[in-house]
Amino acid sequence: MDTTAKTEESASPRERPQRRWLEAISFQNASAVYIAVILVIVFALWVPDTFLTATTWKSLLDTQVITALVAIGLCVPLATGVFDLSIGMTLGVGSVVSAFMLVKAGLPTPVAILIALAVGALIGLANGLIVTLLNVDSFITTLGMTALLTAFVQWITSGQQILGLPSDFQALAAGQLFGVTYPVYILLAVAFLLWYVLERTPLGRQFYATGGNAEAARLAGVKTKRRIVMSFMIGSTVAAGAGVLLAGRLGTGDPTIGGDYLLPAFTAVFLGATQFKRGRFNIWGTLVAVYVVALGVKGILLAGAPTWMPYLFNGAVLIIAVALSKVQTSRRLRGRKRAGTEAQA
């Protein structure tokens, strides 16, 4: 039994909620929050004229919405134990399909958005079926799918931007409520929905069980292949939705976007796995990680760092985050084994 469990047992019923709260806000469990505070202090002292402005903070909140949506969508397949390297290009597909349906096909905005989301779901379905029915590794499957989606985007756009998106579509990404753009509210709504599914429903527990040990979950009655397919579909649909918002923000369907969101998304998800759930992929940890990484990058750029610095920063954070996530997962598993051994004794 681990130290936390022993502490819980020794505490009185009145003390337990307080101990849980202290555990939740400990540096080990919520280090990203403390790192964010340190970054704010450092950059506030370093570049106060540019960092401590309302424009900077509103820009930071809004510009990270697309990355955050891709990252929380990626959380679902990773929680189920599969990789989705095609999620960046799925965003690109969502962007150009929505633009194509609006401009070339002349469809109404709601219909174009639904078609883009449906295409995203089909991409996830294809990934899931290849992985579960053909037994192709998810890494290889989604890497190949990335190439196929890149070809599709180039074909549908002829390598050119799709211009002339209607104003009502662009308003979806540019409109504001109480000074905050609509995409921020959409992000929070999607994050809450995915959190609820993963943490508060039997489906979410089955996702985590499949990711933890697919064979054990199958023997326990979980339809693991269906859960893998569903996780791919959820992640791809969210990524396609992010692409729709990006098309509205840019005012164009751009065939070159998509790939640049893959590294930041993976960085945020693995860093987020070290927060709150200690080695387990989770929505709120991912969301916090997106903005902590963005905060560091923003401060560095405002301080005059070269434009290649975000790639260096994201790459370094990804490596560190994966290492920390592995360590925390190993500790949690060892703790469970010890608890099981002591219970049997």
Side-chain angles (χ1 to χ4, degrees):
M1 188 178 296
D2 60 18
T3 305
T4 303
K6 291 180 179 178
T7 303
E8 283 289 328
E9 286 185 358
S10 62
S12 67
R14 182 177 297 179
E15 292 174 330
R16 286 174 188 170
Q18 182 179 1
R19 290 180 184 247
R20 291 195 191 101
W21 171 248
L22 291 174
E23 175 70 16
I25 63 173
S26 66
F27 181 83
Q28 185 179 9
N29 203 41
S31 58
V33 176
Y34 294 96
I35 292 171
V37 173
I38 293 171
L39 288 174
V40 169
I41 294 172
V42 169
F43 292 122
L45 296 174
W46 191 359
V47 282
D49 293 340
T50 52
F51 188 74
L52 295 178
T53 64
T55 302
T56 296
W57 286 88
K58 286 180 67 175
S59 171
L60 183 68
L61 181 66
D62 184 56
T63 55
Q64 295 305 308
V65 166
I66 307 301
T67 300
L69 279 170
V70 177
I72 63 175
L74 182 60
C75 252
V76 185
L78 285 174
T80 318
V82 290
F83 281 84
D84 188 357
L85 299 181
S86 66
I87 202 162
M89 281 311 302
T90 302
L91 176 148
V93 170
S95 175
V96 299
V97 166
S98 58
F100 183 89
M101 293 300 166
L102 287 165
V103 177
K104 304 295 184 180
L107 296 177
T109 294
V111 177
I113 292 174
L114 288 175
I115 291 175
L117 295 178
V119 171
L122 286 174
I123 293 170
L125 177 63
N127 282 331
L129 292 178
I130 293 171
V131 169
T132 57
L133 297 184
L134 301 182
N135 294 318
V136 180
D137 183 78
S138 62
F139 195 93
I140 300 300
T141 297
T142 56
L143 184 62
M145 183 61 72
T146 299
L148 295 177
L149 296 180
T150 302
F152 172 77
V153 166
Q154 292 296 318
W155 170 70
I156 197 175
T157 63
S158 299
Q160 303 294 320
Q161 292 183 344
I162 301 176
L163 305 174
L165 273 61
S167 58
D168 63 328
F169 178 75
Q170 296 187 52
L172 181 65
Q176 296 187 2
L177 180 64
F178 305 120
V180 178
T181 57
Y182 294 151
V184 176
Y185 295 107
I186 294 172
L187 169 62
L188 292 175
V190 174
F192 180 83
L193 178 61
L194 292 181
W195 165 82
Y196 184 82
V197 170
L198 286 176
E199 303 289 345
R200 292 292 186 269
T201 67
L203 178 62
R205 289 190 286 273
Q206 290 172 11
F207 282 155
Y208 281 124
T210 301
N213 189 322
E215 182 61 19
R218 186 187 66 79
L219 293 174
V222 177
K223 294 180 173 60
T224 55
K225 290 185 177 181
R226 291 186 183 181
R227 297 301 168 258
I228 290 172
V229 172
M230 288 180 65
S231 69
F232 272 121
M233 292 180 68
I234 292 171
S236 294
T237 302
V238 173
V244 170
L245 289 176
L246 186 57
R249 174 175 293 172
L250 298 176
T252 178
D254 191 337
T256 64
I257 63 172
D260 288 343
Y261 287 90
L262 184 63
L263 177 59
F266 268 93
T267 300
V269 174
F270 276 96
L271 179 58
T274 68
Q275 307 299 307
F276 310 138
K277 296 296 182 179
R278 292 193 181 183
R280 193 171 80 170
F281 300 109
N282 67 94
I283 299 301
W284 298 123
T286 298
L287 202 57
V288 168
V290 168
Y291 283 97
V292 170
V293 173
L295 186 65
V297 171
K298 187 75 170 180
I300 290 172
L301 291 178
L302 289 175
T307 55
W308 47 260
M309 185 58 71
Y311 296 100
L312 175 63
F313 194 86
N314 277 305
V317 171
L318 176 59
I319 293 171
I320 294 170
V322 171
L324 289 174
S325 179
K326 291 288 186 181
V327 169
Q328 291 185 348
T329 300
S330 298
R331 286 178 178 175
R332 191 174 72 247
L333 291 175
R334 286 197 299 268
R336 288 179 178 176
K337 288 180 179 179
R338 285 197 300 268
T341 302
E342 292 179 7
Q344 290 177 357

